[in-house]
Structure formats: structure tokens, C-alpha cells
Amino acid sequence: MELLEVLKSYPFLAPYQLTFCAELEVGMPRYRSLFAVCDTISQSALCTKTCQEAVEEAVQRAVAQNRAIIFRCHAGLLNFAVPLRGGNIPFTCLIGGGMRDKDIALDQMVALALADNGDAVALREELEALPAGSEDEVAEVAGRVQELLPSLLGKNIHSLILEKTMRRLASITGVSSGIDAAGSADEVLGLLSETFGILFDIGRIAVLAPEGSNSFAMKGLWGMDPDLGTIPKAKALTILPRTKETNVVTLDEECRSLFPDTGANQATCVRFASNGELLGIMILFDANLPRRDKLLIQLITERASAKLLHLREEAKHTADNAQAAKLMSMFTTLSRAASKEELNDSILTMAADLVDASCGSLMFIDENGENLKIEAALGMNMQLAKSMAVQVGSGIAGKVAAGGHPLLVNDIEKDKRVGIPNRPRFKTKSFVSIPIKLREETIGVLNLSDKKNQGIFTEADLNLLITFADHASIMIERSLSIERADFLEQLSITDPLTGLYNRRFLKRRMEEELARSIRQNLSLTVMMIDLDNFKIYNDLCGHLTGDRALKKMARILSDAARQMDVVTRYGGEEFCIILPGTSKKESIFVAERMRREIEGEEFPHEENLPLGRLTASVGVASYPEDGATEAVLLKAADVALYRAKSEGRNRVVIANPGTEEELSSRLKSVTGTP
């Protein structure tokens, strides 16, 4: 074996298949199949019993004449037989063959081989694949071998093998630095397969790599197609069980059943493992390797395994960092949501994006704690979704809400916790439901289904969603707090009876509008409006009727006011209106319109009042002529209102009108009287 290995290392013998013949029976040299002459004598379409007879006849001649013999098999292939003399070897003759005669047409060679009724197409394909040469070239090679053999037989073969092994070890040492510098798993595997292919003369190399949780992907690395399909994980693990101490095994009988599509008869399998973790299996097809070469392969594979594990951990670290950055970006976006609806939509959309889901819903428990209502939906009609309700404790989402525990389902029909037929709206049978909690109290459920790649949700997906839901709940709590604060703020500035802004809001808004008017040199007018004889009306009709009158008054004022005006209830039956950017002259038209609207409105039992109807008096004051502060302006308007009351009610009075003629002129211009 060592001698044959040394011979095969010479380039001029590389195209030939080499083997030995040994004296197995007295006086009758017989072919012993250590290596094939032209493929394998028992399986090749070219090799028959006639071929074996030709080999044996050539060996007899070579030994008898003690010289190299050139001969042909029945298919016309060129071969040589060189006798062996000397050395402590148990062989009689060296056979080299498998060379197609380039001077003979392929059709003629096929015709010769078809004497045994072979397959013409298969024969032609095999012949075309063989190296081609002339009889003279084969004779020259045979002569060189005969000259070389005595020197090899005279040497220590083990020393030659050692030299060859050391050269390979040096090459592997150089490759190791390339493995250490590799930036990806593909680069490591590519470098490794190229090294094995060249150093050990291996024609086909593939790798089995974990793909998902239940299968291994088979990829061609050297002399094979890149995509070779998948095999079940359980089947792949039988190749190199954990109980095997070695990381290199050779499969003979099992090869065809494990890799039926490769046509290989033998597979040397090399395990990539580090810290007890299986990273992959490299497969060297039809590679008859001696033990020393397997040790070299194991040596470099261990180096590659450590690098592959490092690359995987590095990739995981990079992915974790990218995922953390993505989550932080999401949380920043959530914190900027302008409304509860926008927040809910963003939470659902982001959660679906994290796990590549195409459908989902975000549900919240109602105030009674009895039902779940959909507040955001993905992949379904939102109007329909909002009309649906799920009772807490009933159905999948209801049970998650009641129990407060997340639920991951790979198959809705087979999972014993669910065990119901798949719903038509779900494309896949896998889904995940996560409870949304505030301070350990479940307030809702996040549901996601239908991965875009039609796959199933994993534990990694579940853990990622739990992390996301924990942070999203903080945003939800913040939104609820803001909503509650806004509600309380609204209550504090709103009159509960009329729904108008109250006196507290009036003071703040007056200060803001005055500051703006001063800054931009604008006019500002304030009107005080009071229902005439309202105390009498309240006593005659009762407080409930009086309250209804005040509500009607609020509606009349709001409808008559402009969009820019601010209508408030000042207290009791008194109202105040701010008119930004409005001069005193312009405000008279607004005040008169409001007074007439109130005068023309019908109120129950108003005929019993002194004026025969419920009316209102209005006092008007403006910046800058009547004051430059909130208190001064309101005081001026209140004084004008008092004058309106004292002058007979149901009228508009302007603060500081100037002369009687100026006042009369303003009122006439407003009322249209001559």
C-alpha cells in the first residue's frame, strides 16, 4: 500500500489507475483488486471476465520475460504490466491502466465493448471520461516505471511515506493560518474542501450543515452541485454518534443508503464539533484514505471546528447587538406615538416585524374585566375585528388573558393544549399569544400567526416577543397615564354642567392671548355676558329648568362664536368670551349677534319674567384702550356689564365709550336705527 501510494504521487502516473497482482495460486498469477484498473473490475460497464483474463495473461508474460508489457483489454483500453523484483513485498507485478487509445475512434471502441451486450450509451460516456493517449506514450510511461521501481524498492518505503506526510503536514499548517483569518463559515469550508481535494486527490466533497431544528442541508463543496437537498436530523446523527471518540469514520455499506443520489460506494465522514456542539459533517466520497491521512484530516478539522464555533458565536453576538439596537429604535418610536391608536398599531406592526409574521391582533380587556376587544389588527378587516369580542377565559386568547402565561403552538390541531381544527383564515397551523401585563396584572393579549416563509414559530421567537411585550407594556402604561392626566386636566378646566371651559382656564388663556397681542401689536376683546333676571327664573321654574337654560345658553354662545373665539362659563349665570385679534368696534357685531340669538330663543315659562322673556346683557372691554392685564380687562368688561344691567338689561355696553354721542353712534351703527 505504501509503495503504491508513493507511485501515485508521481505526476506522470496521475492519469493511470494502479494496482498490484499477487501469486495467490501456485503457477497462476491472479488479479487482486486493491485499486481499479479502469474503474472497478466488478462494476464498470467496461470491465468483464475477459478483462481479467487479459490482465492475467499480461502478468504472465511480464514475469516470464522480466520486462514491461503493453496490452489492451477487450474494449481496446491501453494498459501496462511491470514485473517486481527485489524488496520485501508480496506482489508479483504492477498494473497500470484505464488509458483510452486516442488513435482509435470512440464508436469502434464501443463496438468492441458491445461484444458482451453492454449498454452503448453508458459505455460511450465512460470512454469519453477516460484520459487519452497513444500506445507509444503508454510504453514510455511503463519504461519509466520499470526504471523507477528498483530505486524505490531499494529505499525505505516508510521514509518516503514520512517525507510525503511531512510535506502534507507543512501544507496543512499553512492552511491553518488561512482558516484562522477566514471571515465566514463558507470561507472556512471552501478552504478546507480545496485542501482535501488537492492534497489527498479527492474528487467529490460535500458538507452536512444543521438547518432548522429537524434537518441537515447537504451542500456540494468540491466537484458537486451546491444544492444537494436535505436529510433528517436523526439520520445525519447516526453517521457520527456522540459515543464515537473519533471525528473521522469511513462508511461502506451505509454510504448508498445515506447518500443514494451520489452514486458513491464509500464515504469518509469528518465531524466538525467544538465544546460538545455539532457544527456540521464533511463528506469525502470514494476516498480510500490510510490512517495517517485521516489523522491529518482530523488535525486540521479540529482547527476548523474551533474557528466555525468562534464565527457562530461572533455572528450571534452581532445579531444580538443588531436586535438590541432594533428594539431600542422601536421603543424610541413607540415613545413618540401621538395617540393611543397610533401606539397600538405600532406595537402590533413592530411585533409582527420582529418574528416575520403576516397576521395578528392586539387585544385589551374591557373596563368590566370580562371581555377582550381588538384594538389593532394585521391581515384582517379592522371594522370586523373591532366588532368581535372574546370572553376572558374562553378561546385561545381568552385563556392566555385569564392565565397570564404565553402560548407557543407549532400545530393547532396536534397541540394537546389546544387541539382544535385549523381556522380557514390562518395559512399555517403555528401561532403565538403573549399576555400584556402592567405591574403583574394582565391587561391584554398580543396574537401573531402565519410566518411569511410558512414556517413555525420558535422558542427564540417567543423569548423575543416576551422581551418586546415587557417594554411595550411600559409604553402602554405611559400612554394610559398621559390619557388619565389629560382627562383630569380637562376636568379641572371644564365646567361640568355646560361643558364649556371654566374660570380657571379663562385666566390662563387670557394671559396667553394678552402676551401674544402685546408681542404682535394686536387687538384683544373680552365680553362678559349675564342672563337677565335669572334668579327670578330659577326660583319660578326650579333648579333643573334653570340648569337646562344654562346649557341652552352655552350652546347658543358656542354656535354664535367664531372658531377663533374662546367661550367660558365665568360663574353662575355669567359667561365670558375671549375674541383674539378683534378690536372693540369689530366685537360689537359679535356681541349684538349673541344678544339677539338669546333674545329670540324660547325658554320654558319665560313669559313670567319682568321683560316677558329670558334675555342677556353684555359688557365689552378691549386691549389696549381698556387695560393691559387680565384682571384689568375683566374688571372693565364687568363694569360695562353692570352698566348694561342698570340701564335696563338686554343690551350691549362698551367700556369707556367716550362721549354720549360716540356711544350713540356706535350703537346705531350696530342696530341699524336712524
Side-chain angles (χ1 to χ4, degrees):
M1 289 288 289
E2 287 83 358
L3 177 59
L4 194 61
E5 189 177 341
V6 171
L7 286 169
K8 287 173 71 68
S9 68
Y10 285 87
F12 73 91
L13 286 173
Y16 293 86
Q17 298 288 342
L18 302 178
T19 190
F20 290 119
C21 280
E23 185 77 23
L24 300 180
E25 296 181 13
V26 178
M28 180 61 70
R30 293 195 178 275
Y31 177 69
R32 179 179 178 182
S33 179
L34 295 177
F35 292 89
V37 176
C38 49
D39 203 52
T40 61
I41 206 163
S42 60
Q43 294 180 15
S44 174
L46 295 172
C47 298
T48 66
K49 183 179 180 181
T50 308
C51 284
Q52 185 171 338
E53 292 172 354
V55 170
E56 291 178 352
E57 191 274 335
V59 170
Q60 288 177 339
R61 288 170 50 206
V63 172
Q65 299 175 20
N66 194 26
R67 66 182 181 86
I69 297 295
I70 308 303
F71 67 97
R72 297 175 185 271
C73 69
H74 81 290
L77 297 179
L78 292 169
N79 310 281
F80 63 79
V82 178
L84 299 174
R85 289 287 186 268
N88 185 24
I89 57 173
F91 305 118
T92 305
C93 203
L94 173 69
I95 305 296
M99 181 67 65
R100 175 166 57 84
D101 192 338
K102 64 182 180 181
D103 297 325
I104 300 178
L106 278 173
D107 291 340
Q108 185 179 350
M109 297 187 73
V110 171
L112 288 171
L114 282 177
D116 291 324
N117 297 321
D119 184 337
V121 176
L123 287 172
R124 188 177 186 88
E125 288 178 353
E126 290 201 36
L127 287 169
E128 287 179 339
L130 292 176
S134 66
E135 187 171 339
D136 290 341
E137 290 171 346
V138 175
E140 182 181 350
V141 168
R144 292 179 66 181
V145 171
Q146 191 164 16
E147 292 176 2
L148 179 64
L149 281 173
S151 63
L152 292 178
L153 293 172
K155 290 183 178 181
N156 185 336
I157 296 297
H158 294 291
S159 297
L160 294 175
I161 295 298
L162 179 60
E163 290 177 12
K164 182 179 179 181
T165 302
M166 293 304 294
R167 287 196 300 272
R168 286 180 171 174
L169 183 59
S171 298
I172 286 174
T173 302
V175 170
S176 296
S177 61
I179 289 174
D180 292 340
S184 68
D186 288 343
E187 192 176 340
V188 171
L189 295 174
L191 183 59
L192 208 58
S193 61
E194 183 180 7
T195 301
F196 292 164
I198 294 174
L199 281 186
F200 304 112
D201 192 26
I202 301 170
R204 295 187 299 164
I205 301 175
V207 67
L208 286 172
E211 183 181 65
S213 58
N214 298 312
S215 64
F216 274 61
M218 186 169 174
K219 303 175 182 178
L221 299 176
W222 182 262
M224 304 184 78
D225 292 334
D227 186 3
L228 299 173
T230 61
I231 67 172
K233 179 180 180 180
K235 192 174 183 180
L237 294 179
T238 62
I239 298 173
L240 285 153
R242 290 182 180 272
T243 53
K244 280 189 175 292
E245 294 183 2
T246 179
N247 284 330
V248 182
V249 299
T250 298
L251 307 177
D252 293 309
E253 295 298 327
E254 305 97 319
C255 179
R256 293 184 185 179
S257 61
L258 283 168
F259 315 112
D261 297 332
T262 63
N265 298 310
Q266 188 184 71
T268 299
C269 301
V270 186
R271 174 166 47 198
F272 294 103
S274 186
N275 295 337
E277 184 177 0
L278 179 63
L279 306 173
I281 301 172
M282 184 170 281
I283 308 154
L284 318 176
F285 290 106
D286 293 326
N288 198 342
L289 300 170
R291 185 172 180 274
R292 58 180 170 274
D293 287 349
K294 290 181 180 179
L295 290 174
L296 290 175
I297 286 174
Q298 184 164 338
L299 179 66
I300 192 172
T301 300
E302 289 174 355
R303 186 71 165 262
S305 296
K307 180 63 177 182
L308 287 173
L309 182 62
H310 175 73
L311 287 171
R312 174 181 287 189
E313 292 175 346
E314 193 175 68
K316 185 177 183 302
H317 180 68
T318 301
D320 288 345
N321 286 342
Q323 195 173 82
K326 185 175 183 179
L327 285 171
M328 288 303 299
S329 175
M330 286 181 171
F331 299 147
T332 301
T333 302
L334 290 178
S335 68
R336 295 172 180 165
S339 65
K340 183 173 66 175
E341 291 73 20
E342 182 182 341
L343 176 64
N344 292 340
D345 288 340
S346 296
I347 288 173
L348 179 58
T349 302
M350 290 175 183
D353 180 54
L354 282 174
V355 295
D356 204 30
S358 60
C359 293
S361 64
L362 182 60
M363 313 175 79
F364 288 101
I365 300 175
D366 62 16
E367 294 179 356
N368 298 324
E370 297 177 354
N371 295 302
L372 283 164
K373 297 281 289 183
I374 296 177
E375 297 296 336
L378 184 65
M380 62 191 301
N381 184 283
M382 190 58 202
Q383 289 182 334
L384 175 63
K386 285 202 169 184
S387 67
M388 299 169 60
V390 176
Q391 189 175 2
V392 174
S394 175
I396 297 170
K399 290 178 180 177
V400 171
H405 302 293
L407 180 64
L408 171 65
V409 174
N410 290 334
D411 190 320
I412 193 173
E413 296 179 345
K414 295 181 180 179
D415 195 304
K416 294 181 179 178
R417 297 169 298 176
V418 183
I420 59 175
N422 190 30
R423 299 171 184 176
R425 69 174 182 268
F426 294 151
K427 298 182 183 70
T428 70
K429 299 179 182 180
S430 179
F431 66 87
V432 61
S433 293
I434 308 290
I436 304 294
K437 296 184 177 183
L438 291 184
R439 306 181 188 278
E440 302 303 319
E441 179 184 354
T442 301
I443 63 166
V445 178
L446 171 65
N447 306 294
L448 293 169
S449 64
D450 294 345
K451 269 186 174 283
K452 293 177 182 177
N453 63 1
Q454 304 298 304
I456 62 173
F457 291 96
T458 64
E459 289 291 336
D461 291 333
L462 179 66
N463 293 332
L464 181 59
L465 287 173
I466 290 173
T467 300
F468 176 78
D470 288 343
H471 285 79
S473 66
I474 297 173
M475 298 297 108
I476 293 171
E477 184 175 27
R478 175 176 173 270
S479 176
L480 291 174
S481 298
I482 293 173
E483 186 180 67
R484 193 176 296 110
D486 288 344
F487 176 72
L488 293 174
E489 171 67 14
Q490 192 67 21
L491 282 179
S492 70
I493 61 174
T494 303
D495 173 51
L497 177 64
T498 63
L500 297 177
Y501 289 117
N502 60 18
R503 191 168 180 171
R504 177 184 177 191
F505 179 82
L506 171 69
K507 177 178 174 60
R508 187 171 73 193
R509 187 62 180 269
M510 276 283 292
E511 291 172 349
E512 292 172 356
E513 290 296 339
L514 266 172
R516 186 167 70 91
S517 298
I518 293 169
R519 188 171 60 252
Q520 299 180 13
N521 195 26
L522 298 174
S523 298
L524 174 68
T525 296
V526 60
M527 297 191 307
M528 297 292 289
I529 304 173
D530 187 82
L531 283 173
D532 297 326
N533 299 308
F534 183 73
K535 185 176 185 308
I536 298 172
Y537 182 82
N538 217 24
D539 292 340
L540 287 172
C541 303
H543 290 290
L544 289 178
T545 303
D547 286 348
R548 284 195 289 269
L550 290 174
K551 290 180 182 179
K552 183 178 285 191
M553 174 78 165
R555 178 184 57 77
I556 294 170
L557 294 177
S558 296
D559 291 345
R562 301 167 301 178
Q563 188 175 8
M564 58 191 286
D565 300 335
V566 181
V567 182
T568 66
R569 186 182 180 193
Y570 196 70
E573 66 272 24
E574 197 170 5
F575 296 82
C576 183
I577 302 176
I578 305 172
L579 290 81
T582 306
S583 66
K584 187 176 289 184
K585 183 177 180 180
E586 293 168 332
S587 69
I588 296 175
F589 294 94
V590 180
E592 272 298 321
R593 184 172 68 249
M594 291 181 176
R595 186 195 65 76
R596 287 196 301 267
E597 290 286 341
I598 297 168
E599 184 182 27
E601 186 72 26
E602 292 185 2
F603 292 88
H605 311 298
E606 63 180 351
E607 65 276 5
N608 297 317
L609 293 174
L611 296 178
R613 60 178 58 249
L614 193 59
T615 59
S617 299
V618 183
V620 179
S622 297
Y623 164 83
E625 53 265 51
D626 299 321
T629 66
E630 170 259 341
V632 172
L633 273 178
L634 288 177
K635 179 66 175 175
D638 197 48
V639 170
L641 174 62
Y642 179 77
R643 284 177 53 202
K645 293 281 188 182
S646 64
E647 292 174 7
R649 297 183 174 85
N650 191 23
R651 65 193 62 212
V652 176
V653 172
I654 302 170
N656 301 318
T659 65
E660 287 293 327
E661 291 78 11
E662 289 176 346
L663 175 58
S664 177
S665 175
R666 288 177 182 174
L667 290 176
K668 285 178 181 179
S669 67
V670 171
T671 60
T673 58

